Amino acid sequence: MAMATAENPFMDLPTNGKCQAYYIWIDGTGQHLRGKTKTLNEPVYNVSELTEWNYDGSSTGQSLGANSDVYIKPVSIFKDPFRRGNNILVMCETYGPDGNPHPTNKRSECLRYMNKIKEEKPWFGIEQEYTMFDSTGRHPLGWPENGFPGPQGPYYCGVGANRVKGRQIVEAHYRACLYAGVKIAGSNAEVMPSQWEYQVGPCEGIDMGDHLWVSRWILERVAETFNVVISFDPKPIDGDWNGAGCHTNISTKSMREEGGIKYINSAIDLFSKRHREHIEAYDPNEGKDNERRLTGKHETASIDKFSAGVANRGSSVRIPRQVEKDGCGYFEDRRPSSNADPYQVTCRVIKTLLGE
């Protein structure tokens, strides 16, 4: 049972043995989340025990013709850090009235490809960058009313009220993810003031998408409590300010074993031949969002040309220095935008590794 607070004094009321499941799904934009609550008669610990549900697709940009019903199928469960107790968060896939995956459902195809490569146990780790804005969604949190803060430099991994804004939200989000069972691995202040990053992973296969989407929902829900807006826009502020990405770290069983650098280099070669396909999969608008970010400046490579290097954060794909030294491990694709769909990103990665 959640603890009652001054802001919400009813959370300690008994629920007569019942609990709440908050169903979460991705809407028609491919980048925003929706959700609603269902009462459960008893605690549920396995996703197979949950029933399918539906919602009005005409209100989420997902209506298919005259039939506006969209069905949601539960695929993973997390503990609810807001209601607590036996209450849960439920990540869902969307389906049309014919029972087929909805056109906006990118998870279904991703799962199919993850099953094709499951013997290689693909691991992913995603670095999610984001920016905090005030309640209007137009002014970066803590920036001067008129004008701009000082140039970038002192804010990355900084400390102090003159360098860091929004740490309460960051800490609350981190704890909420740990409680929920999201595989959050770390966090840090980023190069632009009011911009932060957290890392999720390593996750195997389809879990990467499930965990990252739920972590985003938790972040926005925490920020809602503080009356702050979270932006996943890849270039939220024009000018000499860093954009926001979703750097994706990739490893297979072969890459992690002794001599795995050979497989890492082979994968990068495959990536170089599918640059355009990756760019189209790496933001919800087929590369249009990333055009503002991947300029060749601010620790990015040009969107028009593939590049790779060791410890080079200005390249499309980076091999960490330690991986080169060890001769095995993983590599980092720095192209995905902060608003990318992790199902699409990881699916495109596997397609390329399979030569498709």
CSV table of all heavy atoms in Angstrom, one decimal, residues 41 82 96 109 122 150 169 173-174 178 180 201 229 232 238-239 242 263 276 280 283 288 290 296-298 305 315:
chain,number,residue,atom,x,y,z
A,41,ASN,N,-8.7,-8.3,-9.3
A,41,ASN,CA,-9.3,-8.9,-8.1
A,41,ASN,C,-8.3,-9.4,-7.1
A,41,ASN,O,-8.6,-9.6,-6.0
A,41,ASN,CB,-10.3,-9.9,-8.5
A,41,ASN,CG,-11.6,-9.3,-9.1
A,41,ASN,OD1,-12.0,-8.2,-8.8
A,41,ASN,ND2,-12.1,-10.0,-10.1
A,82,PHE,N,4.6,4.2,-7.9
A,82,PHE,CA,3.7,5.3,-7.4
A,82,PHE,C,2.6,4.8,-6.5
A,82,PHE,O,2.4,5.3,-5.4
A,82,PHE,CB,3.2,6.1,-8.6
A,82,PHE,CG,4.3,6.5,-9.5
A,82,PHE,CD1,4.6,5.8,-10.7
A,82,PHE,CD2,5.0,7.7,-9.2
A,82,PHE,CE1,5.6,6.3,-11.5
A,82,PHE,CE2,6.1,8.1,-10.0
A,82,PHE,CZ,6.4,7.4,-11.2
A,96,GLY,N,-4.8,-4.6,-34.1
A,96,GLY,CA,-6.0,-4.1,-34.8
A,96,GLY,C,-7.2,-5.0,-34.5
A,96,GLY,O,-7.0,-6.1,-33.9
A,109,GLU,N,7.5,-7.1,-34.8
A,109,GLU,CA,8.6,-7.4,-35.7
A,109,GLU,C,9.9,-7.6,-35.0
A,109,GLU,O,10.7,-8.5,-35.3
A,109,GLU,CB,8.7,-6.4,-36.8
A,109,GLU,CG,9.8,-6.7,-37.8
A,109,GLU,CD,10.0,-5.6,-38.8
A,109,GLU,OE1,9.8,-4.4,-38.5
A,109,GLU,OE2,10.4,-5.9,-40.0
A,122,PRO,N,21.8,-11.6,-28.0
A,122,PRO,CA,22.2,-10.2,-28.2
A,122,PRO,C,21.9,-9.3,-26.9
A,122,PRO,O,20.8,-9.4,-26.4
A,122,PRO,CB,21.3,-9.8,-29.4
A,122,PRO,CG,20.1,-10.7,-29.3
A,122,PRO,CD,20.7,-12.0,-28.8
A,150,GLY,N,25.7,30.3,-19.3
A,150,GLY,CA,27.0,30.4,-19.9
A,150,GLY,C,27.3,29.2,-20.8
A,150,GLY,O,26.6,28.3,-20.8
A,169,ILE,N,14.5,15.4,-9.5
A,169,ILE,CA,13.8,14.5,-10.5
A,169,ILE,C,14.6,13.3,-10.9
A,169,ILE,O,14.1,12.2,-11.0
A,169,ILE,CB,13.3,15.3,-11.7
A,169,ILE,CG1,12.3,16.4,-11.3
A,169,ILE,CG2,12.8,14.4,-12.8
A,169,ILE,CD1,12.0,17.4,-12.4
A,173,HIS,N,13.6,9.5,-10.2
A,173,HIS,CA,13.4,8.6,-11.3
A,173,HIS,C,14.3,7.4,-11.1
A,173,HIS,O,13.9,6.2,-11.4
A,173,HIS,CB,13.8,9.3,-12.6
A,173,HIS,CG,13.8,8.4,-13.8
A,173,HIS,ND1,15.0,8.2,-14.5
A,173,HIS,CD2,12.9,7.7,-14.4
A,173,HIS,CE1,14.8,7.4,-15.5
A,173,HIS,NE2,13.5,7.1,-15.5
A,174,TYR,N,15.5,7.6,-10.7
A,174,TYR,CA,16.5,6.4,-10.5
A,174,TYR,C,15.9,5.4,-9.5
A,174,TYR,O,15.8,4.2,-9.8
A,174,TYR,CB,17.8,7.0,-10.1
A,174,TYR,CG,19.0,6.1,-10.3
A,174,TYR,CD1,20.2,6.7,-10.9
A,174,TYR,CD2,19.0,4.8,-10.0
A,174,TYR,CE1,21.3,5.9,-11.2
A,174,TYR,CE2,20.1,4.0,-10.3
A,174,TYR,CZ,21.3,4.5,-10.9
A,174,TYR,OH,22.4,3.8,-11.1
A,178,LEU,N,14.6,1.5,-10.1
A,178,LEU,CA,15.1,0.4,-9.3
A,178,LEU,C,13.9,-0.4,-8.6
A,178,LEU,O,13.9,-1.6,-8.6
A,178,LEU,CB,16.1,0.9,-8.2
A,178,LEU,CG,17.4,1.4,-8.8
A,178,LEU,CD1,18.2,2.0,-7.6
A,178,LEU,CD2,18.2,0.3,-9.4
A,180,ALA,N,10.8,-0.5,-9.6
A,180,ALA,CA,9.9,-1.1,-10.6
A,180,ALA,C,10.5,-2.4,-11.2
A,180,ALA,O,9.8,-3.2,-11.7
A,180,ALA,CB,9.6,-0.1,-11.7
A,201,GLY,N,20.3,-1.1,-19.1
A,201,GLY,CA,20.9,-2.3,-19.6
A,201,GLY,C,22.0,-2.8,-18.7
A,201,GLY,O,22.3,-2.3,-17.7
A,229,VAL,N,8.3,19.4,-17.5
A,229,VAL,CA,8.0,18.7,-18.7
A,229,VAL,C,9.4,18.1,-19.2
A,229,VAL,O,10.4,18.7,-19.2
A,229,VAL,CB,7.5,19.7,-19.8
A,229,VAL,CG1,7.4,19.0,-21.2
A,229,VAL,CG2,6.1,20.2,-19.4
A,232,PHE,N,12.1,14.7,-25.2
A,232,PHE,CA,13.0,13.8,-25.8
A,232,PHE,C,13.4,14.3,-27.2
A,232,PHE,O,13.9,13.5,-28.0
A,232,PHE,CB,12.4,12.4,-25.9
A,232,PHE,CG,12.2,11.7,-24.5
A,232,PHE,CD1,10.9,11.6,-24.0
A,232,PHE,CD2,13.2,11.3,-23.8
A,232,PHE,CE1,10.7,11.0,-22.8
A,232,PHE,CE2,13.0,10.7,-22.5
A,232,PHE,CZ,11.8,10.6,-22.0
A,238,ASP,N,18.1,25.3,-30.4
A,238,ASP,CA,19.0,25.7,-31.6
A,238,ASP,C,20.3,26.4,-31.1
A,238,ASP,O,20.3,27.0,-30.1
A,238,ASP,CB,18.2,26.5,-32.6
A,238,ASP,CG,17.1,25.8,-33.3
A,238,ASP,OD1,17.2,24.6,-33.4
A,238,ASP,OD2,16.1,26.5,-33.7
A,239,GLY,N,21.3,26.3,-32.0
A,239,GLY,CA,22.5,27.0,-31.7
A,239,GLY,C,23.6,26.1,-31.2
A,239,GLY,O,23.6,24.9,-31.4
A,242,ASN,N,24.5,21.1,-27.3
A,242,ASN,CA,24.4,19.7,-27.7
A,242,ASN,C,23.0,19.3,-27.9
A,242,ASN,O,22.1,19.7,-27.2
A,242,ASN,CB,25.1,18.9,-26.6
A,242,ASN,CG,26.6,18.7,-26.8
A,242,ASN,OD1,27.2,19.6,-27.3
A,242,ASN,ND2,27.1,17.6,-26.5
A,263,TYR,N,34.4,-10.1,-34.8
A,263,TYR,CA,32.9,-10.0,-35.1
A,263,TYR,C,32.4,-8.6,-35.0
A,263,TYR,O,31.5,-8.2,-35.7
A,263,TYR,CB,32.2,-11.0,-34.2
A,263,TYR,CG,32.6,-12.4,-34.4
A,263,TYR,CD1,33.5,-13.0,-33.6
A,263,TYR,CD2,32.0,-13.1,-35.4
A,263,TYR,CE1,33.9,-14.3,-33.8
A,263,TYR,CE2,32.4,-14.5,-35.7
A,263,TYR,CZ,33.3,-15.1,-34.8
A,263,TYR,OH,33.7,-16.4,-35.1
A,276,ARG,N,21.8,4.4,-44.6
A,276,ARG,CA,20.5,5.0,-44.8
A,276,ARG,C,19.4,4.3,-44.1
A,276,ARG,O,18.5,4.9,-43.5
A,276,ARG,CB,20.2,5.1,-46.3
A,276,ARG,CG,18.9,5.8,-46.7
A,276,ARG,CD,18.5,7.0,-46.0
A,276,ARG,NE,19.6,8.0,-46.0
A,276,ARG,CZ,19.5,9.2,-45.3
A,276,ARG,NH1,18.4,9.4,-44.5
A,276,ARG,NH2,20.5,10.1,-45.3
A,280,GLU,N,16.9,5.9,-41.1
A,280,GLU,CA,15.4,5.9,-41.2
A,280,GLU,C,14.8,5.3,-40.0
A,280,GLU,O,13.7,5.6,-39.7
A,280,GLU,CB,15.0,5.3,-42.5
A,280,GLU,CG,15.3,6.1,-43.8
A,280,GLU,CD,15.0,5.4,-45.1
A,280,GLU,OE1,14.5,4.2,-45.0
A,280,GLU,OE2,15.2,6.0,-46.1
A,283,ASP,N,14.9,7.4,-35.8
A,283,ASP,CA,14.0,8.4,-35.2
A,283,ASP,C,12.6,8.1,-35.8
A,283,ASP,O,12.4,7.5,-36.8
A,283,ASP,CB,14.5,9.9,-35.3
A,283,ASP,CG,14.2,10.5,-36.7
A,283,ASP,OD1,13.1,10.4,-37.2
A,283,ASP,OD2,15.1,11.1,-37.2
A,288,LYS,N,14.2,12.6,-40.2
A,288,LYS,CA,13.9,14.1,-40.2
A,288,LYS,C,14.3,14.7,-38.9
A,288,LYS,O,14.8,15.9,-38.9
A,288,LYS,CB,12.5,14.4,-40.6
A,288,LYS,CG,12.1,14.0,-42.0
A,288,LYS,CD,12.8,14.8,-43.0
A,288,LYS,CE,12.4,14.4,-44.4
A,288,LYS,NZ,13.2,15.1,-45.5
A,290,ASN,N,16.5,13.6,-36.7
A,290,ASN,CA,18.0,13.5,-36.5
A,290,ASN,C,18.8,14.5,-37.4
A,290,ASN,O,20.0,14.8,-37.2
A,290,ASN,CB,18.4,12.1,-36.8
A,290,ASN,CG,19.0,11.5,-35.5
A,290,ASN,OD1,19.4,12.1,-34.6
A,290,ASN,ND2,19.1,10.1,-35.6
A,296,GLY,N,27.6,16.7,-37.5
A,296,GLY,CA,29.1,16.7,-37.5
A,296,GLY,C,29.7,17.6,-36.4
A,296,GLY,O,30.9,17.6,-36.3
A,297,LYS,N,28.8,18.2,-35.7
A,297,LYS,CA,29.3,19.1,-34.6
A,297,LYS,C,28.7,18.5,-33.3
A,297,LYS,O,27.8,17.6,-33.3
A,297,LYS,CB,28.8,20.5,-34.8
A,297,LYS,CG,29.4,21.2,-36.0
A,297,LYS,CD,28.9,22.6,-36.2
A,297,LYS,CE,29.4,23.2,-37.4
A,297,LYS,NZ,28.8,24.6,-37.6
A,298,HIS,N,29.1,19.0,-32.1
A,298,HIS,CA,28.6,18.7,-30.8
A,298,HIS,C,28.6,17.2,-30.6
A,298,HIS,O,27.6,16.6,-30.2
A,298,HIS,CB,27.1,19.2,-30.7
A,298,HIS,CG,27.1,20.7,-30.9
A,298,HIS,ND1,26.4,21.3,-32.0
A,298,HIS,CD2,27.6,21.7,-30.1
A,298,HIS,CE1,26.5,22.6,-31.9
A,298,HIS,NE2,27.2,22.9,-30.8
A,305,LYS,N,27.0,10.7,-43.9
A,305,LYS,CA,28.1,9.8,-44.2
A,305,LYS,C,28.4,8.9,-43.0
A,305,LYS,O,28.4,9.4,-41.8
A,305,LYS,CB,29.3,10.6,-44.5
A,305,LYS,CG,30.6,9.8,-44.8
A,305,LYS,CD,31.8,10.8,-45.1
A,305,LYS,CE,33.0,10.0,-45.5
A,305,LYS,NZ,34.2,10.9,-45.7
A,315,SER,N,32.1,10.0,-34.3
A,315,SER,CA,31.9,9.0,-35.4
A,315,SER,C,30.5,8.4,-35.3
A,315,SER,O,29.8,8.5,-34.2
A,315,SER,CB,32.9,7.9,-35.4
A,315,SER,OG,32.9,7.2,-34.1
